[in-house]
Amino acid sequence: MSAEIARAAKGPPRKRTNDPEGLRNKVLDVAEASFQARGYHASALGELMATAGVTGGALHHHFPTKKALALAVIEERVAAALDETWISPVRAAGSAREGVRAVFEAVAAELERQGFVRGCPLNNLAHELSLADPDFRLALAGIFAGWRQAIADKIRADQQAGREQGTDPERFAALAIAAYSGAMSMAKTAQDASVLRDCLAELEGSPTPPFGAKRRRRILLRPGKP
Amino acid sequence: MSAEIARAAKGPPRKRTNDPEGLRNKVLDVAEASFQARGYHASALGELMATAGVTGGALHHHFPTKKALALAVIEERVAAALDETWISPVRAAGSAREGVRAVFEAVAAELERQGFVRGCPLNNLAHELSLADPDFRLALAGIFAGWRQAIADKIRADQQAGREQGTDPERFAALAIAAYSGAMSMAKTAQDASVLRDCLAELEGSPTPPFGAKRRRRILLRPGKP
DNA sequence: TATAAAACAGACCGGTTGTCCTGTTTTGTC
DNA sequence: GACAAAACAGGACAACCGGTCTGTTTTATA
């Protein structure tokens, strides 16, 4: 038994410091990671409490039900993650196509660096929860809609600058998101991020690589066991 | 209480007819539907047994564990469903692009007819189970690989006939699958199949529809409650 | 028809899960 | 400092889940 635990167990009743926001964030952190790694149904609140170092009373005070916790993860964390990885970079890019390309490459590079593909948080939860509960579905659909609109808006901005005249903004956004989502699904299942680059290359219509050129095969599968 | 139940409950010990294959198929039917509608973890074996009209002993005889049942669903049913909806039509089509287009349209039409989007069986399970268990992941990855190879092979056949000279078979297949998977994910979350047509149109580079043309919005959401 | 194996019936159990409930402590407010 | 509300502690519990177990019936084989 570690000294810390022993002290906590045998020491005199220590002072407690209330930090509702901090505790809430800690729970959200652990829940986000657990939902991403194991999914909603496979995540047990007991283990979540133990990992976060939170008691049942505290958890129930901030999130009355498991559903409420998941809804908070979706609306706060998943949406924010998508903003950071997709929406902001696309907005900041020189054009919509450049933005999409940059995101694809950045994600592929990050996955190869990590050596493990956990999949897209939004798609992971969307698949598991869309049919399970209307509230889940609506929350997830809203995030998808915002994603699509951000890309479509970027195309429209390009068009106002005289570019992308032959492009339909909504269609382009739909395909970009679908290609990314589907590629992540394949990458997660195969534990190989190279399919992201394949999809990007085909999406951009880049020339076929010379015959006989070895296709780099990134062997991943180095499960991060914390 | 229905007459049937009363008879079954009070009548003399009736004859039993062993039908291992039929019973196995019935269980597989119900499991496939339940996994598709609710996912693996949310599917309880108890309800599955009740729906299929099968006792615990019989279920355990054919499928020792829940995992074994899921593996059978994946290897037999999910693979077969993909063969029927994707691989066979693509092989039978005049070209790879025609095949992909036909599948997209057929699925979109079917979804609109059904009035409900349950999502792609393969992707549904892939998202939930890929990280949960290596056996699941390998089985699912194999199906993805076969899917991709079938499309790539069709491109190669086109190339031997003098077409698609500038197309990379593997990349084309990857994007076709990713676009479909991702579009199904969005369609399932939004309960709107129109995104499938959007992705197909963009994938084929079809001309932008005239400005002001109403985008047909298929309102779905007619959950099949059996 | 004898017999062994396969097919099936149905109860049982240990473990887990999400939620609830009753207290206690901290914190903001007058 | 009084006091009410918020924040937190921690146990209890009922429902449920998946797996196991024993026993019975059917079926294939000889």
Side-chain angles (χ1 to χ4, degrees):
Chain A
M1 188 183 289
S2 83
E4 185 187 353
I5 293 179
R7 200 178 343 122
K10 296 218 68 165
R14 297 236 300 293
K15 268 272 194 74
R16 199 184 76 199
T17 318
N18 282 1
D19 180 19
E21 197 170 337
L23 191 145
R24 201 188 116 99
N25 277 328
K26 202 194 302 178
V27 171
L28 247 27
D29 285 341
V30 177
E32 180 186 9
S34 183
F35 289 165
Q36 168 82 337
R38 285 168 250 183
Y40 173 79
H41 286 103
S43 293
L45 292 184
E47 195 179 325
L48 200 147
M49 283 160 45
T51 308
V54 172
T55 64
L59 176 64
H60 180 262
H61 178 73
H62 291 278
F63 307 100
T65 63
K66 191 182 183 184
K67 172 180 169 176
L69 172 60
L71 233 29
V73 168
I74 292 171
E75 288 165 357
E76 300 176 27
R77 302 309 185 91
V78 174
L82 190 69
D83 248 81
E84 189 185 330
T85 23
W86 260 96
I87 298 180
S88 292
V90 165
R91 283 212 182 101
S95 72
R97 287 184 195 272
E98 273 183 34
V100 170
R101 178 169 167 268
V103 172
F104 264 80
E105 288 185 346
V107 171
E110 174 65 13
L111 292 181
E112 283 156 5
R113 195 191 64 80
Q114 287 182 209
F116 193 67
V117 184
R118 253 165 283 265
C120 168
L122 176 58
N123 276 283
N124 286 347
L125 290 179
H127 273 93
E128 188 179 2
L129 301 180
S130 278
L131 301 187
D133 187 290
D135 296 326
F136 284 146
R137 191 181 72 77
L138 267 307
L140 295 160
I143 300 180
F144 266 115
W147 188 1
R148 187 170 175 179
Q149 194 175 35
I151 299 177
D153 284 348
K154 190 70 181 178
I155 286 281
R156 291 190 194 98
D158 291 350
Q159 289 175 337
Q160 295 224 341
R163 293 167 295 184
E164 299 287 356
Q165 297 302 332
T167 304
D168 181 276
E170 291 295 331
R171 287 182 178 173
F172 177 87
L175 181 60
I177 295 173
Y180 177 80
S181 300
M184 283 294 277
S185 176
M186 295 171 75
K188 177 182 177 182
T189 307
Q191 283 299 310
D192 181 350
S194 64
V195 66
L196 271 166
R197 299 191 192 278
D198 289 337
C199 285
L200 175 62
E202 185 69 17
L203 205 52
E204 294 189 322
S206 81
T208 303
F211 181 77
K214 287 257 173 62
R215 202 177 295 271
R216 185 82 62 84
R217 236 252 147 169
R218 272 99 179 174
I219 298 298
L220 300 180
L221 245 175
R222 198 194 321 148
K225 302 227 173 176
Chain B
M1 187 183 290
S2 82
E4 185 187 353
I5 294 180
R7 203 180 338 127
K10 295 219 66 166
R14 299 235 301 289
K15 267 272 192 76
R16 198 185 77 198
T17 318
N18 283 3
D19 181 18
E21 196 170 337
L23 191 144
R24 201 186 115 98
N25 277 329
K26 202 195 301 179
V27 170
L28 246 28
D29 285 342
V30 175
E32 180 187 10
S34 183
F35 290 165
Q36 166 83 338
R38 284 169 249 184
Y40 174 79
H41 286 103
S43 292
L45 292 184
E47 196 178 325
L48 201 147
M49 281 160 47
T51 306
V54 172
T55 64
L59 176 64
H60 179 264
H61 178 72
H62 291 278
F63 308 100
T65 64
K66 191 182 182 183
K67 173 178 169 177
L69 172 60
L71 233 31
V73 167
I74 292 171
E75 288 164 357
E76 300 177 27
R77 300 310 185 92
V78 174
L82 190 69
D83 247 80
E84 189 185 330
T85 13
W86 260 97
I87 299 181
S88 292
V90 164
R91 284 212 181 102
S95 72
R97 287 184 194 272
E98 271 182 36
V100 170
R101 178 169 167 269
V103 172
F104 264 79
E105 289 186 346
V107 171
E110 174 65 13
L111 293 181
E112 284 156 5
R113 196 191 62 80
Q114 287 183 207
F116 194 68
V117 184
R118 255 165 281 265
C120 167
L122 176 59
N123 276 284
N124 286 347
L125 290 179
H127 273 92
E128 189 179 1
L129 301 179
S130 279
L131 301 186
D133 187 291
D135 296 326
F136 283 146
R137 192 181 73 76
L138 267 307
L140 294 160
I143 300 181
F144 266 115
W147 188 1
R148 187 170 176 178
Q149 193 174 35
I151 299 178
D153 283 348
K154 188 70 181 179
I155 286 282
R156 292 191 193 97
D158 291 349
Q159 289 176 338
Q160 295 224 340
R163 294 166 295 182
E164 299 287 355
Q165 296 303 331
T167 304
D168 182 277
E170 291 295 330
R171 287 182 178 173
F172 176 87
L175 182 59
I177 295 173
Y180 176 80
S181 300
M184 283 294 278
S185 176
M186 297 170 74
K188 177 183 176 181
T189 306
Q191 283 299 310
D192 182 350
S194 64
V195 66
L196 271 165
R197 298 190 194 277
D198 289 337
C199 284
L200 175 62
E202 185 69 17
L203 205 54
E204 293 189 322
S206 79
T208 303
F211 180 78
K214 289 254 176 64
R215 202 177 295 274
R216 187 78 63 84
R217 238 247 146 175
R218 272 98 179 173
I219 299 298
L220 299 181
L221 245 175
R222 198 195 320 150
K225 302 226 172 177

